[in-house]
């Protein structure tokens, strides 16, 4: 599964981003104030204080909550309830991905430092988007696939929250933030302005 193969940890090895994070290191050093990248930064860098990043993280939390509830429903032998929750995940993710990809990702992809990293994230979005509606949650093999996908989703989210989002603090200008927020609003037409 390409989604699984593309997922990599965001921790550091010898002060360098671990293999697979996609950043050459310069972007991470910029995002962390020039210091060594030593792992998850989001609680230290201040990106959670940016309104757009708060929205993305809240969406991540809603999706992972639904995923956890779906896994519990499957453990309790309730594939119908799990299907409702997986469908909720898919709807939330569709709007979330549109907001990310049309906004923050598009703006940051203008910098070659981030382009490959973002392309990998977008590929993971496509694979999970195709997987979720195709799952037969009454089938043991598909339940295992879904369980693996949930674990991979957590790793994917870590690559965004602990890598890309902190890097956005230094990568985006005021205009870049405005374009990113406009795209998020377009993907969430019912959300407060």
């Amino acid at each position: 599964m390409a989604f699984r193969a593309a997922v990599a940890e965001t921790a550091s090895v010898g002060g360098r981003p671990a293999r697979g994070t996609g950043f050459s290191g310069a972007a991470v050093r910029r995002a962390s104030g020039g210091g060594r990248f030593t792992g998850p930064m989001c609680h230290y860098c201040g990106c959670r204080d940016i309104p757009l990043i708060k929205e993305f993280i809240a969406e991540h939390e809603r999706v992972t909550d639904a995923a956890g509830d779906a896994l519990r429903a499957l453990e309790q032998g309730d594939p119908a309830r799990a299907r409702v929750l997986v469908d909720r995940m898919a709807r939330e993710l569709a709007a979330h991905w549109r907001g990310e990809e049309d906004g923050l990702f598009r703006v940051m992809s203008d910098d070659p430092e981030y382009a490959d990293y973002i392309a990998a994230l977008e590929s993971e979005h496509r694979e999970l988007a195709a997987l979720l509606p195709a799952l037969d949650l009454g089938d043991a093999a598909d339940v295992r696939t879904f369980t693996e996908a949930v674990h991979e989703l957590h790793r994917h989210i870590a690559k965004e929250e602990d890598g890309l989002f902190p890097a956005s603090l230094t990568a985006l200008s005021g205009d870049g933030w405005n374009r990113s927020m406009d795209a998020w609003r377009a993907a969430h037409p019912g959300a407060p302005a």
Side-chain angles (χ1 to χ4, degrees), residues 9-69:
E9 296 297 324
T10 58
S12 70
V13 177
R16 296 182 319 274
R19 193 177 123 249
T21 61
F23 293 146
S24 69
V28 173
R29 282 190 297 281
R30 285 195 309 267
S32 63
R36 286 176 41 153
F37 177 65
T38 57
M41 297 184 298
C42 208
H43 294 287
Y44 307 104
C45 71
C47 71
R48 289 177 180 260
D49 295 328
I50 305 295
L52 177 61
I53 301 302
K54 278 184 185 180
E55 294 294 345
F56 287 148
I57 291 170
E59 291 166 351
H60 288 162
E61 290 169 355
R62 286 192 298 272
V63 167
T64 57
D65 286 350
D69 290 345

Side-chain angles (χ1 to χ4, degrees), residues 74-97:
L74 290 167
E75 289 170 2
Q76 296 166 356
D78 191 350
R81 173 78 179 132
R83 178 81 261 162
V84 168
L85 292 159
V86 169
D87 291 344
R88 181 184 305 160
M89 286 176 61
R91 284 188 307 275
E92 179 83 34
L93 285 167
H96 171 75
W97 292 333

